[in-house]
Amino acid sequence: RMSLREHALSLFRCAVSTVQPAPMMKRAVKLQGNGCPQLLVKGQAFPVKRNLYLVGFGKAVLGMAAAAEEILGDHLVRGIINVPLGIQDYLQRAGMQEMLLKPHSKIQVIEGARNNLPDPEALRGAVAIQELAEGLAADDLLLVLISGGGSALLPAPIPPILLEEKEKLTKMLASRGAAIQELNIVRKTLSLLKGGGLAQLAYPAQVVSLILSDVIGDPLDIIASGPTAASSHSVQDCLQILTKYNLLHSLPKSVETVLSRSPTKPSAPQDYSHVCNVIIGSNTLALDEAKRQAEGLGYVTMILSTAICGEVGRVALLFCQLIQLLCLGFAGLGEGPLGDEVRGNLLQLAAELEIPGLNLAEFLQSLRGLEAERAICILAGGETTVQLQGTGKGGRNQELALRVGLGLHRAMEGSGSLRKCEILFLSGGTDGQDGPTEAAGAFCSPGLVDEALQEGLDVEAVLSNNDSYTFFSQFQGGRHLLVTGLTGTNVMDIQAILIRAV
């Protein structure tokens, strides 16, 4: 029979393939009618003349643009997209032709944002997009393609802020553990195009945004910092975040200038009646597909949450406790004092983590009675945060997998129930890149730490140096790394717990 590792890999690949740009675009967008053609976007109709323009930015946008150009044909006048550095060359070498634009495309491609950080090339692309938007008239239609990574690919700081000043501030926030939502609030407060800026520049043209969400809860104003959505945040929110991370007194002069000029009270809301924002792909869509696949493989499958967030160590603990509870169930001990203790710990952890929309008590209730099952799969999605303390190389998914491995190792010392089950945990980034590494994530099982000790590797030292990638590369020849290559899409991370009776 297939190994748990093969099953987990199959689930991950299946989840990612359902949010690939081409199938998503084709599900969402159609062009119909010859006399006076219309663009149909999720059921809404927009008349099309020779007035259709396209801009885009993000990790999945090249594939989205290729699919869009195929759908739009000659109706497209001109386009500009900002995509990650090297992606065309990478997709070409990987044989992923369907994600590349055809020769003589009307869409100009600008590559930038090395290592997902804004740079002069990304700025050049943002300025070109800004100029295209500013030149549109009332009967023009602007199609905007947005995906994760869009924030770094649309940098246009409000003068006099320089790109490197904004970048330095973002790095300082990230190193102090700021969540992606907090980073985005600061970025868009200091940006011309974010926080609805692009939509306002394109006025009075009709703006239709097709969005691949990489943010928990799919909030339009947060994904890629919301260039076509009204911002729900004020300068006050930005100042609060800077205060929280103790950065208010070490700001560049230019940032101080812009923040002091901006109205701190919300002004009259701007008009967004010319904008239509549509989410065409998300973590939920990917997990639903993985669930179907897991059930097809014979697992009783449940989705824990699509909004897993919080500090990676606490989230690892949540997954470890959940695995312990499931194993107690398999051993017929789920309803005893031990099961009650683990349940209590889980509820306490969930309360601390404040995962949006997670009703853990209800989830745990539905786990009861699964003890008779031979194989269980729990799926989750979202995005954790890592507070960097060391100088190692890693990513949040590899660190999460390693922390779960360590947690299971400790639990094995105190409980026999884990030994009665075969267990695998996987965490991977759907874009195929976890931190500045070639891995998408990693697998772990309860025996991981014991085997590592035999190879002379100290897992706790690795974790205190945030060096999970180096560990997994050295350990058993990198067998526990999840390596997919860039996927051309991005809907945050996916976790899978697979357990079957031995």
Side-chain angles (χ1 to χ4, degrees):
R1 62 181 184 170
M2 278 171 80
S3 70
L4 292 189
R5 188 180 183 283
E6 287 168 316
H7 280 172
L9 188 56
S10 157
L11 298 183
F12 184 80
R13 289 202 161 127
C14 182
V16 169
S17 69
T18 204
V19 287
Q20 287 294 348
M24 279 188 318
M25 290 292 289
K26 284 170 185 163
R27 281 194 295 263
V29 183
K30 295 187 173 40
L31 192 67
Q32 73 167 31
N34 298 323
C36 41
Q38 290 185 316
L39 189 66
L40 282 184
V41 179
K42 287 256 178 123
Q44 289 196 64
F46 302 93
V48 175
K49 309 180 188 75
R50 285 265 321 153
N51 62 345
L52 186 50
Y53 295 84
L54 180 150
V55 297
F57 28 90
K59 292 180 181 180
V61 157
L62 188 60
M64 289 167 80
E69 192 162 32
E70 206 173 291
I71 295 163
L72 304 173
D74 289 340
H75 294 284
L76 181 64
V77 180
R78 176 173 170 237
I80 301 170
I81 58 171
N82 241 10
V83 295
L85 187 70
I87 193 163
Q88 292 177 99
D89 187 39
Y90 176 87
L91 294 172
Q92 188 83 54
R93 285 201 314 273
M96 295 161 82
Q97 301 302 118
E98 72 285 358
M99 291 207 195
L100 292 166
L101 295 167
K102 304 280 186 289
H104 317 299
S105 165
K106 290 175 186 166
I107 300 171
Q108 177 193 355
V109 181
I110 297 169
E111 293 191 357
R114 181 191 292 274
N115 290 332
N116 203 27
L117 296 170
D119 58 16
E121 282 308 297
L123 180 59
R124 182 170 76 86
V127 169
I129 286 170
Q130 180 186 337
E131 287 168 356
L132 186 149
E134 284 172 333
L136 298 176
D139 59 353
D140 289 331
L141 175 57
L142 179 65
L143 198 59
V144 184
L145 308 177
I146 301 176
S147 79
S151 222
L153 285 157
L154 199 70
I158 298 170
I161 301 173
L162 299 174
L163 184 61
E164 46 271 33
E165 291 175 322
K166 190 174 164 190
E167 194 36 46
K168 188 177 171 195
L169 180 58
T170 307
K171 272 187 179 157
M172 281 159 73
L173 277 165
S175 71
R176 293 181 188 201
I180 185 73
Q181 287 86 339
E182 294 175 315
L183 291 177
N184 280 349
I185 289 167
V186 172
R187 279 176 185 150
K188 70 182 180 185
T189 307
L190 306 176
S191 168
L192 280 173
L193 297 177
K194 292 165 182 164
L198 178 61
Q200 292 304 322
L201 288 178
Y203 182 85
Q206 171 71 54
V207 177
V208 178
S209 284
L210 304 177
I211 303 165
L212 177 58
S213 171
D214 72 328
V215 180
I216 284 168
D218 309 334
L220 293 171
D221 66 317
I222 298 281
I223 303 162
S225 303
T228 59
S231 177
S232 60
H233 299 100
S234 65
V235 174
Q236 215 50 49
D237 296 316
C238 175
L239 293 169
Q240 270 175 353
I241 292 163
L242 294 171
T243 306
K244 176 180 171 182
Y245 295 103
N246 209 16
L247 287 169
L248 210 47
H249 302 295
S250 47
L251 295 175
K253 196 92 204 96
S254 59
V255 173
E256 280 182 10
T257 304
V258 167
L259 289 175
S260 62
R261 278 203 307 241
S262 309
T264 46
K265 293 192 171 57
S267 48
Q270 288 175 301
D271 182 13
Y272 284 84
S273 58
H274 65 299
V275 183
C276 171
N277 288 307
V278 181
I279 302 264
I280 63 169
S282 64
N283 190 270
T284 304
L285 198 69
L287 285 184
D288 285 346
E289 188 53 42
K291 181 174 189 279
R292 268 195 292 280
Q293 178 85 351
E295 286 168 346
L297 290 169
Y299 290 88
V300 172
T301 308
M302 293 172 65
I303 295 175
L304 172 66
S305 167
T306 59
I308 296 292
C309 58
E311 198 276 315
V312 70
R314 309 297 291 156
V315 173
L317 199 51
L318 182 83
F319 282 122
C320 286
Q321 299 273 2
L322 190 53
I323 290 167
Q324 279 179 263
L325 187 62
L326 289 163
C327 291
L328 284 170
F330 272 100
L333 302 169
E335 295 307 318
L338 209 50
D340 291 343
E341 185 190 331
V342 176
R343 255 186 226 96
N345 291 343
L346 271 166
L347 291 167
Q348 174 68 36
L349 258 174
E352 287 169 21
L353 282 165
E354 295 180 339
I355 292 166
L358 173 62
N359 184 339
L360 190 66
E362 198 177 286
F363 181 83
L364 294 180
Q365 192 54 44
S366 51
L367 281 185
R368 290 187 155 163
L370 292 189
E371 290 86 349
E373 301 299 340
R374 305 298 298 161
I376 293 174
C377 169
I378 307 288
L379 296 167
E383 201 162 280
T384 58
T385 48
V386 176
Q387 281 192 298
L388 294 175
Q389 291 160 322
T391 55
K393 195 174 180 186
R396 59 181 181 264
N397 289 288
Q398 293 162 83
E399 179 146 336
L400 177 59
L402 191 50
R403 285 184 181 279
V404 168
L406 181 61
L408 293 177
H409 167 75
R410 287 173 178 158
M412 288 257 283
E413 292 171 343
S415 156
S417 61
L418 289 178
R419 299 178 199 280
K420 295 188 168 64
C421 304
E422 195 184 351
I423 302 162
L424 186 104
F425 175 82
L426 157 75
S427 188
T430 55
D431 59 356
Q433 188 175 23
D434 187 35
T437 75
E438 63 183 13
F443 304 87
C444 80
S445 57
L448 177 91
V449 173
D450 270 342
E451 290 161 27
L453 287 169
Q454 286 163 21
E455 289 192 26
L457 295 167
D458 180 345
V459 171
E460 296 194 42
V462 165
L463 285 168
S464 62
N465 193 32
N466 300 113
D467 205 17
S468 52
Y469 174 74
T470 308
F471 167 85
F472 280 118
S473 303
Q474 292 171 346
F475 177 59
Q476 295 187 350
R479 202 174 69 80
H480 289 70
L481 279 174
L482 171 66
V483 181
T484 60
L486 294 180
T487 62
T489 189
N490 182 16
V491 292
M492 299 187 289
D493 303 334
I494 284 175
Q495 288 86 35
I497 296 169
L498 301 185
I499 300 182
R500 60 187 177 194
V502 176

